[in-house]
Structure formats: C-alpha cells, structure tokens
Amino acid sequence: MNVVLISTYDLGHQPFGLASPAAWLRERGHHVTAVDLAVGTLPSLAIREADAVAFFLPMHTATRLAAEAIAKVRLLNPSARLLAYGLYAPLNAAYLRELGVETIAGGEFERVLADVLGGEPRTAELVSLERLSFRIPDRAGLPNLALYSKLRLNGEARIAGYTEASRGCKHLCRHCPVAPVYQGVFRVVQPEVVIEDVRHQVSAGATHITFGDPDFFNGPGHGMRIVRALHKEFPALTYDVTIKVEHLLKHREYLPELRDTGCLFVTSAVESTDNVILAKFDKGHTRADFLEVSRLFRQLGMVLAPTFVPFTPWTTRKGYQDLLQVIAAEDLIENVASVQLALRLLIPPGSLLLELQDIQACISGYDKAALLYRWSNPNPEMDSLASSILRLVSTEQKRRRSRRDLFALIWEEAHGAPPREEFDLIPRAAIPYMDEPWYC
C-alpha cells in the first residue's frame, strides 16, 4: 500500500510523529512517503498515487493548517483513505470527520495506524494508551535537519535534532491538551530506541537534541538513564528538556547531573505568577515554588526558560504588571520568548477547563473555524490590552527587536509609562535558545 504521512507544523522540529509511524508501516511492507509541509510543499504525484494519506496533528496550529491540506488532498485523490493522528486528532474528531477523515488515532497511535492500514480489525476507540514496544524511528526521506529550528548560543547556530523519551503525563493540568487525551497516564519509549534515534540524528549533523516529552521527569529514572548514556557516548552533545515546576523541586537532586551531562536549558510551563490562576489551572505549583526554582537555577548556573499564559479570564492589569515585574526582578527577561508575554488562553474541544463554572460564564461559544472556544475577560480593557500586546510583539519581532527592547515596550504598554531604570541583564548571546519560540 502507498501511504503518505503529512506533518503541517511541529514547532520547527523534524517530526518524530512522521519518523516513528514510518518505521512501523515500512516494517509491514508499506511504501511510505513522509512529507513535512513546514519546510516543503505537497507532492502532487505521491498524493495521486496514494492509497492512504495520514495527517500528524500534535498541536492546535498543525490542526488548523491540516484543514487546508486535507482539501487539497481530496481534490488530487478523492479515493484516498484519510487518517489523522496525534494529540489534537481525538480532540477535534467531529470536525475531522466532516472533512472526510475516516480513522482518528490519539495517544499511542503507531500500532493503530499499522493495524488499520494493514487491514487488521481494531476497536473504535479514538485514543489508545496501550504499552508499545517502539520501533527505531525511520527518518529516511525527511528533510535535512539543517532546514529546521536551530540552537542559538554565543552567536552560533547549531543543528538541532528532536526525539521523545516519553508521551502523556501523570498530571491533569486543566488547560493542557495532554490531560483530556492521556487522562493522567504516561508511556515511555524504550531507552535503546531513544538512544539509537539520537545516534542517527547525530550522524546527520545534529549537535543538540530537544526532548519533546510533556514532562521529562514524569519518569526521572528513565530520563536520567538516557541522558547519562548519551553523554557517555557523545560528550559534546547538548540537549534541552521540559519539566514541571513541581518536578524541578521534587527531583532537584538530579539538576546538577542534567547540567553536567549537557542540558543547556530547561523549559517549564510556569503559566502565571498569580496563585488564583495557578489554582484554576490545577498546575500543582505556586508563585513561591516558581521563585524557588528560579533561585535554584541561578545557584546551579543553569538556564530556566519559563513559558506563560498571561491572558486568561482571570487576568487583571495589576496581575499582568506583576508578571512583568517578577520576570524583571528574577533576571529572566532574556530567558522568555517575547511571544510568551502575548499569549491568550486556548480552550480547545475536550479541555478540562470547560468543567469550571466561571469558564462557562465567560465563553461565547465554539468557533469551528478556529477550533476553539471564544471567551472574554469580564473587564473588556484586558481583552484590548491582550490584542495590543500581540500586535506589538508581532510587529516588533519582524523588525528583529531584541527581547530586552521589546520587553521595555511591553512594560510601557502595560503600565502606561516606560520602565524607570534600564534592566540589568545577562547578554543575550550567553543564554541558549531555540530560534523558533512558539509554544502552542
């Protein structure tokens, strides 16, 4: 069978979500064409010859982009079977079926895709949480790693790879898209598979690896086993991981080892400095916990890369100003991608936020075209501020405004006056970051 796997967008990474199912399908004798529309175009000939076309939907942006691609595929090959898989596939099942998608697979999707396309019977569940023995991802035919997001450090751009050591999450943060799909379950990718996948990417030129796990410390022993082995084999290889604030505190004994095995920075979904909002999100940490982690990272000489959801139904101007003040006081301005100060809470179908009465009170309905629930802040001024900040960030980033300068502009927009003093900052070049900062 001729199968085309399509990714529309995956945060600037060469998609694990193409390479992993490609290995399963090729093992069963299918001819697989892997297409990443983020760095390429739709291959008309391969689509016309395809028996099945499967779309990888790991995030909201990817799902919206897929709708246009699905329409093009249906025009080129009306008889091809359409499939969708990944985190956002089951969340948007009704919409995808309207577009003609026949099979939808969330959670651990590899075996589901292989069975369905191999003609084997499968139950009708949208989400599979079965424990898989993963295959080594097959990256043959994927675009060169040099075309993807790069690590920036001291003015140097380094080729970066991407892999996953686990999927799902033990936690049920209400705003997180992982929670309604995995329901508190996480699954590991066998260490030997992860290590071999990294080996292949290093041989393709990668000198840095991003681990895309929702939380690298859902299984800290598993994660540490992998980075120890990689550091022993590739001592110059660097990497970054994502870890919850509460896990950074609970497993702080591992942080020096992360640093010493090449971890350049840790992304952590802090989301807010307001304890009321953190409780609404059920984040599992407090403002004080975040400040403790920030101090801990400074003591260890590590880089923390916090992410935020600054505009929510509960955000006040005073609260937004406080967020900016904390970022400045903690010397984190250069650690925070400017877009993180402009993000508005996303409520997709299935979100656990919909269980909250005050969310029900502020939403105006579901926007099918945008694939989200529209909501308004009780204070219209805050919605206006959110729009102003987003326009400011979008405009000034195109002008290549530095994070320091853009932060000052955001401060002025939020406070109605410029900051009184220059921010005392670490030079940007000394702080490593990926050059595609979007996190949605």
Side-chain angles (χ1 to χ4, degrees):
M1 177 180 286
N2 286 330
V3 181
V4 177
L5 301 177
I6 296 178
S7 173
T8 55
Y9 179 62
D10 195 17
L11 284 169
H13 307 306
Q14 188 189 71
F16 181 92
L18 295 184
S20 183
W24 287 71
L25 294 171
R26 286 170 178 151
E27 180 181 76
R28 298 199 184 187
H30 300 294
H31 179 272
V32 178
T33 301
V35 178
D36 188 356
L37 297 181
V39 294
T41 58
L42 199 67
S44 298
L45 180 60
I47 296 297
R48 290 192 180 99
E49 294 179 346
D51 300 297
V53 180
F55 290 85
F56 174 49
L57 309 178
M59 55 189 298
H60 179 259
T61 301
T63 310
R64 292 192 64 182
L65 292 171
E68 181 180 346
I70 288 171
K72 291 179 180 178
V73 167
R74 294 189 72 184
L75 284 174
L76 288 169
N77 187 345
S79 64
R81 297 173 63 182
L82 299 181
L83 304 89
Y85 64 99
L87 194 62
Y88 271 77
L91 295 180
N92 294 282
Y95 175 73
L96 293 168
R97 294 202 190 283
E98 289 179 11
L99 298 179
V101 175
E102 169 189 325
T103 298
I104 294 168
E108 306 305 278
F109 50 74
E110 285 87 349
R111 178 171 286 146
V112 176
L113 294 179
D115 288 350
V116 167
L117 294 176
E120 298 182 26
R122 291 287 310 195
T123 58
E125 81 267 12
L126 296 179
V127 176
S128 171
L129 298 180
E130 61 184 315
R131 298 180 187 274
L132 298 180
S133 293
F134 282 85
R135 308 306 191 259
I136 297 166
D138 188 342
R139 298 176 181 273
L142 283 173
N144 193 289
L145 284 177
L147 297 175
Y148 291 92
S149 174
K150 294 180 176 60
L151 174 82
R152 303 283 175 170
L153 177 61
N154 293 321
E156 177 189 357
R158 300 182 184 178
I159 293 177
Y162 174 92
T163 194
E164 296 175 6
S166 66
R167 293 200 294 221
C169 186
K170 290 180 177 180
H171 301 273
L172 295 172
C173 303
R174 287 193 181 99
H175 66 303
C176 178
V178 177
V181 174
Y182 277 89
Q183 295 291 325
V185 172
F186 92 105
R187 294 286 182 247
V188 302
V189 181
Q190 288 74 31
E192 61 273 15
V193 172
V194 180
I195 292 167
E196 188 63 24
D197 186 33
V198 172
R199 285 190 185 115
H200 289 170
Q201 293 180 78
V202 170
S203 68
T207 60
H208 179 86
I209 296 291
T210 291
F211 285 94
D213 310 41
D215 193 310
F216 197 69
F217 277 0
N218 267 318
H222 171 71
M224 294 308 300
R225 189 178 309 118
I226 289 170
V227 297
R228 287 168 189 148
L230 287 174
H231 184 64
K232 182 177 181 180
E233 184 169 350
F234 304 108
L237 183 70
T238 59
Y239 64 92
D240 66 271
V241 296
T242 297
I243 304 174
K244 282 171 64 70
V245 168
E246 66 177 293
H247 283 172
L248 291 171
L249 294 177
K250 182 179 180 180
H251 304 296
R252 66 180 72 195
E253 71 273 15
Y254 290 123
L255 296 183
E257 194 171 4
L258 283 181
R259 177 197 61 200
D260 296 343
T261 54
C263 183
L264 290 184
F265 63 92
V266 176
T267 300
S268 191
V270 175
E271 314 302 34
S272 180
T273 53
D274 185 324
N275 283 333
V276 171
I277 295 174
L278 291 171
K280 297 287 187 184
F281 284 177
D282 199 11
K283 274 301 298 179
H285 73 258
T286 65
R287 173 195 180 98
D289 292 333
F290 163 49
L291 295 177
E292 184 177 355
V293 165
S294 178
R295 289 191 288 270
L296 179 61
F297 269 62
R298 282 198 302 274
Q299 291 169 3
L300 293 172
M302 298 179 70
V303 175
L304 180 68
T307 62
F308 298 98
V309 183
F311 291 103
T312 75
W314 310 284
T315 302
T316 64
R317 182 176 288 271
K318 183 178 179 181
Y320 186 71
Q321 292 171 343
D322 176 71
L323 171 65
L324 300 181
Q325 290 163 354
V326 169
I327 291 172
E330 292 298 308
D331 197 16
L332 290 171
I333 294 173
E334 295 284 7
N335 299 51
V336 178
S338 300
V339 72
Q340 291 296 323
L341 302 176
L343 294 181
R344 185 176 165 88
L345 177 64
L346 176 68
I347 307 180
S351 172
L352 300 185
L353 285 168
L354 295 169
E355 299 172 355
L356 299 179
Q357 289 186 356
D358 42 357
I359 285 291
Q360 290 296 326
C362 75
I363 61 175
S364 56
Y366 181 67
D367 185 335
K368 186 162 72 171
L371 302 180
L372 52 77
Y373 284 89
R374 296 289 181 185
W375 59 267
S376 300
N377 191 295
N379 181 357
E381 179 185 283
M382 291 309 301
D383 290 332
S384 297
L385 178 63
S387 297
S388 298
I389 297 293
L390 182 58
R391 283 195 301 271
L392 175 65
V393 170
S394 299
T395 300
E396 296 302 326
Q397 281 189 331
K398 290 176 183 176
R399 296 174 180 170
R400 299 187 180 277
R401 181 83 70 169
S402 71
R403 288 185 179 182
R404 177 197 302 224
D405 291 344
L406 188 44
F407 186 88
L409 293 173
I410 292 170
W411 179 286
E412 183 171 359
E413 188 74 24
H415 289 79
R420 294 180 181 178
E421 300 177 359
E422 287 290 325
F423 299 114
D424 184 19
L425 303 174
I426 299 172
R428 178 62 198 159
I431 299 176
Y433 67 103
M434 300 302 296
D435 60 13
E436 185 147 355
W438 193 254
Y439 198 68
C440 177

